[in-house]
Amino acid sequence: MADALYINGRFTTTDERVLGVEDRGFQFGDAVYEVFKFLGKRPIFLREHFRRLEISLRTLEIAAAWADADAFAATIRELLARTAFDDGIVYIQVSRGEAERSHFWPDALTPTAVAYSRRFAFPDAAKKELGIRVITTRDLRWHGCHVKSVNLLANAIAKKEAQRAGATEALMLADGFVREGAGSNFFAVKNGHLVTHPLDEHILPGVVRDRVIDLALGAKIRVDERPLREAELFDLDEAFITSTTQGVMPVAEIDGRVIGNSRRGEVTTTLQQLFDALEAAS
Ligand code: PDD
């Protein structure tokens, strides 16, 4: 309740039904999105999310919904001022626009830009120490995973599979390699250094991933950006996932097998603390 919704230049709440049925986001998944966190009404890593939104839009040749980062920040400021709660997430979606249904899109469509605030139960200290169970599953996604598009069917199916197995995240495997989580990036820790998938079409360039790599390097922790082989998964000292909503979250079990010594590892703990401090200071 008392959320706020922005759509194409005006403000309302999510009680209002604002989208047309021929919006291409609805009919073709022809849209991109972002999710950022706010704490005490402060947006976290807003510029980084805007930058990624711009790249997603440019890649798919969807018109820009905000002239620049300042215009975007102004919309977000007003959205949060209209929101009744202090902490939560903002979901932003920009679709190519609304047009009579056809695979061919008309040139010069006006994009549909929405942003709305939501409460969110971020993990508490106990959860952050305990970590999560994950499963592995086949990566059924397309070769454009670096674009944050709303085509999340394969991700949703993978997440449901995880939930049915008593886990909360699914690691996507393809061609014998670990790509990323269905809604997060994946980091392995072996012999004190990190291994995470390089930035390419197989993974989303996570905002938290980027920050964590910087923090690791600053703490003299080696980072190998290379695809982890599936077989390496069960010989790790530690593992964690990163995302906007989960921050740095330890992985306690993969497919029912305990990782490391079953407690949050040292490297994971260090990076979790560094990241939480960075988030609190930003
Ligand atoms: N998901 N990989 C995938 C497939 C994701 O969906 C996400 C984030 C990430 C992590 O990105 P970031 O660190 O920028 O949040 C990686 C968001 C939170 C979501 O879909 O809700």
Side-chain angles (χ1 to χ4, degrees):
M1 254 302 293
D3 56 37
L5 167 68
Y6 164 91
I7 174 153
N8 288 353
R10 75 184 173 89
F11 289 89
T12 176
T13 72
T14 58
D15 289 335
E16 187 185 334
R17 299 286 167 251
V18 292
L19 285 178
V21 291
E22 289 197 306
D23 193 279
R24 293 185 61 90
F26 176 61
Q27 294 199 330
F28 293 96
D30 189 355
V32 300
Y33 77 106
E34 279 298 325
V35 176
F36 71 81
K37 181 174 175 177
F38 62 96
L39 294 172
K41 300 255 191 202
R42 259 181 325 106
I44 308 293
F45 307 135
L46 190 65
R47 292 211 167 238
E48 288 81 351
H49 285 281
F50 180 69
R51 201 173 311 136
R52 187 171 61 188
L53 178 67
E54 275 190 312
I55 294 169
S56 296
L57 290 170
R58 213 176 305 131
T59 307
L60 298 185
E61 298 178 16
I62 297 176
W66 285 273
D68 53 30
D70 291 340
F72 177 68
T75 298
I76 298 306
R77 241 190 330 273
E78 176 151 7
L79 187 87
L80 295 181
R82 287 167 178 265
T83 298
F85 39 95
D86 291 341
D87 304 334
I89 57 168
V90 171
Y91 175 85
I92 299 142
Q93 185 179 137
V94 181
S95 85
R96 194 178 302 277
E98 201 178 339
E100 192 172 309
R101 187 182 183 282
S102 161
H103 288 65
F104 302 104
W105 65 76
D107 294 331
L109 264 189
T110 302
T112 306
V114 305
Y116 64 88
S117 51
R118 269 281 172 271
R119 288 182 199 276
F120 195 89
F122 299 115
D124 59 16
K127 181 78 204 167
K128 279 155 71 169
E129 185 170 349
L130 199 62
I132 56 166
R133 292 195 187 113
V134 308
I135 60 156
T136 56
T137 192
R138 216 150 62 84
D139 193 347
L140 298 174
R141 299 173 304 164
W142 70 328
H143 299 294
C145 298
H146 57 301
V147 176
K148 200 162 171 62
S149 93
V150 300
N151 289 262
L152 293 173
L153 186 56
N155 308 56
I157 290 169
K159 280 272 198 186
K160 195 68 195 172
E161 192 186 329
Q163 190 186 47
R164 288 187 173 134
T168 51
E169 180 58 303
L171 297 183
M172 311 289 238
L173 307 181
D175 304 326
F177 294 110
V178 183
R179 302 300 190 198
E180 62 176 337
S184 61
N185 292 113
F186 180 73
F187 286 79
V189 183
K190 186 70 187 170
N191 300 328
H193 63 259
L194 300 183
V195 182
T196 196
H197 201 285
L199 294 182
D200 63 15
E201 71 278 17
H202 300 301
I203 69 159
L204 186 80
V207 169
V208 181
R209 174 192 179 280
D210 211 38
R211 297 274 66 79
V212 164
I213 289 175
D214 279 355
L215 290 169
L217 295 175
K220 304 272 182 283
I221 296 168
R222 194 175 112 191
V223 183
D224 292 342
E225 291 186 67
R226 65 160 177 91
L228 189 79
R229 286 189 307 281
E230 208 180 313
E232 293 178 88
L233 257 190
F234 300 102
D235 185 30
L236 301 179
D237 299 331
E238 306 173 29
F240 60 88
I241 59 154
T242 61
S243 80
T244 292
T245 55
Q246 304 303 304
V248 173
M249 175 57 73
V251 171
E253 276 182 37
I254 303 176
D255 289 339
R257 287 198 255 180
V258 172
I259 300 301
N261 62 9
S262 89
R263 295 211 319 275
R264 178 177 56 182
E266 229 175 87
V267 175
T268 304
T269 306
T270 301
L271 291 171
Q272 195 181 53
Q273 286 169 353
L274 288 171
F275 180 75
D276 287 352
L278 179 70
E279 207 179 57
S282 60

